[in-house]
Amino acid sequence: RFIAKPCALGLKVQANGPQKAQPNAILEKVFTAITKHPDEKRLEGLSKQLDWDVRSIQRWFRQRRNQEKPSTLRKFCESMWRFTFYLYIFTYGVRFLKKTPWLWNTRQCWSGYPYQPLMPDLHYYYIVELSFYWSLMFSQFIDVKRKDFGIMFTHHVVAVSLISFSYVTNLTRVGTLILCLHDAADIVLEAAKMANYCKCQKLSDLLFLTFAVVFIVSRLGIYPLWILNTTLFELYEALGNFPALWVFNVLLMVLQVLHCLWSYLIIKAAYKAISKGKVAKDSRSDVESSSDEEETVPRSKAPHSTVATNGTSGANGTNGYLTGAASSEEH
């Protein structure tokens, strides 16, 4: 409110949200009580009841769905907040880890386990990260529903479970490595989203491609070769078999499955960016389920067809992380 909003307005970010649909009691009742996406049969019935053409009714429903979407200004402020948090916590994590022996030798994660002291810096790192992921999990229910709602919710549950479980079982050393590794790509992603909202297309494209590289290298390369290697093999060699080992590794493997799903979506978006000359949206987490479908049928010339001409067009900004044809659902 006091920092992000003035910055957004200074960068000429669009402050207005989608235009509102014309008030109509019958259509509003259908929208709120029956369906937000009426089928062809219901559209024809409403057309006869209101003496509107079908395209006008479709356009009204699209406008009504768009009303519930956040404005570009609101999305910029949210991205700036997340960018600030990720930048801060990643910087804190790097400064903390570079002084620890387990950053350079992962076998040190298990040295003296379970009798490893909980240092104040490590405790602070864990509590801040845990509180942030709790906030992400709950905010999903009050935010606009994304196409990848299920994947993101699963990710947040796994993240909270991993942080909590590793804290309780004192597997915090390797936990700090996992947290720091995951924060790196998110910084670039939020920066790309902000550039998109500011209509800096070239910068947005560059940042998105940078994000794609960082995400894939860190989640499909470093994570399995560095993190999973030590939790699956070095931990077993050092301490033998115990129940917490298997619970911890199952959660880490679920996280890796999510990494693979997101990487597929990101690679697809990056391919479109290279082939078409501009970035598609980040496929992880920001395209709403009620996204604006393009009109493919010519508008009717019926008298009431002008009712919905004030709808939100694609030029009014995207709901995704980045502009273009099709990314988070959106991560």
Side-chain angles (χ1 to χ4, degrees), residues 14-304:
Q14 181 181 347
N16 297 327
Q19 293 180 332
K20 294 184 177 181
Q22 180 184 18
N24 186 291
I26 295 175
L27 295 180
E28 184 68 25
K29 184 176 181 180
V30 173
F31 183 88
T32 55
I34 302 176
T35 178
K36 296 181 180 180
H37 298 269
D39 56 23
E40 186 176 347
K41 185 177 180 181
R42 189 176 299 278
L43 287 171
E44 291 177 356
L46 290 170
S47 177
K48 294 177 181 178
Q49 184 178 358
L50 296 172
D51 194 25
W52 286 18
D53 64 282
V54 172
R55 297 306 295 168
S56 293
I57 297 175
Q58 288 178 324
R59 202 171 292 113
W60 188 94
F61 273 92
R62 187 175 65 255
Q63 282 184 297
R64 184 62 181 83
R65 291 193 298 268
N66 289 342
Q67 277 182 219
E68 300 183 347
K69 296 179 182 180
S71 66
T72 303
L73 177 62
R74 178 184 165 189
K75 290 186 287 186
F76 179 92
C77 293
E78 179 185 275
S79 291
M80 188 171 181
W81 144 242
R82 293 191 182 188
F83 171 81
T84 304
F85 174 81
Y86 285 128
L87 181 62
Y88 163 73
I89 203 66
F90 177 73
T91 303
Y92 180 90
V94 170
R95 291 183 60 187
F96 167 71
L97 285 171
K98 70 180 183 180
K99 299 180 293 185
T100 63
W102 60 85
L103 175 64
W104 317 107
N105 179 10
T106 52
R107 292 184 182 274
Q108 289 296 318
C109 291
W110 323 117
S111 178
Y113 181 84
Y115 306 106
Q116 297 172 342
L118 182 64
M119 297 175 286
D121 290 347
L122 191 154
H123 178 259
Y124 171 79
Y125 191 23
Y126 250 69
I127 294 301
V128 172
E129 288 274 20
L130 179 60
S131 62
F132 180 70
Y133 278 105
W134 269 114
S135 72
L136 289 183
M137 185 161 65
F138 284 116
S139 65
Q140 273 200 304
F141 294 97
I142 60 175
D143 198 0
V144 175
K145 190 173 182 179
R146 320 292 187 181
K147 284 187 178 180
D148 69 340
F149 176 88
I151 298 177
M152 288 301 296
F153 184 74
T154 302
H155 171 267
H156 298 331
V157 170
V158 172
V160 169
S161 301
L162 270 170
I163 296 172
S164 303
F165 184 79
S166 61
Y167 183 86
V168 169
T169 56
N170 208 25
L171 294 167
T172 53
R173 291 187 177 183
V174 72
T176 57
L177 299 179
I178 298 170
L179 291 171
C180 191
L181 182 65
H182 279 73
D183 289 334
D186 290 322
I187 299 172
V188 189
L189 175 61
E190 298 302 333
K193 291 165 65 176
M194 289 192 292
N196 173 59
Y197 300 144
C198 294
K199 300 188 184 301
C200 299
Q201 188 61 46
K202 291 184 179 180
L203 177 60
S204 177
D205 292 352
L206 177 62
L207 287 171
F208 176 75
L209 294 176
T210 302
F211 158 73
V213 172
V214 173
F215 185 93
I216 292 169
V217 170
S218 61
R219 309 293 177 91
L220 299 187
I222 299 175
Y223 179 81
L225 296 177
W226 190 38
I227 301 299
L228 293 182
N229 177 66
T230 191
T231 59
L232 288 171
F233 303 109
E234 293 177 354
L235 173 57
Y236 184 82
E237 292 174 6
L239 303 174
N241 189 14
F242 61 103
L245 179 151
W246 296 106
V247 175
F248 191 55
N249 278 305
V250 166
L251 291 172
L252 291 176
M253 293 303 295
V254 171
L255 197 58
Q256 181 62 6
V257 171
L258 296 176
H259 292 165
C260 294
L261 291 174
W262 276 321
S263 295
Y264 166 74
L265 296 174
I266 292 168
I267 291 171
K268 186 166 69 171
Y271 173 77
K272 290 183 179 179
I274 295 171
S275 61
K276 296 183 179 181
K278 65 178 181 178
V279 170
K281 302 168 191 171
D282 163 32
S283 297
R284 291 200 319 165
S285 63
D286 212 34
V287 176
E288 287 80 357
S289 58
S290 56
S291 59
D292 298 349
E293 60 271 23
E294 289 296 325
E295 297 289 353
T296 57
V297 180
R299 290 180 52 192
S300 170
K301 296 182 180 179
H304 296 281

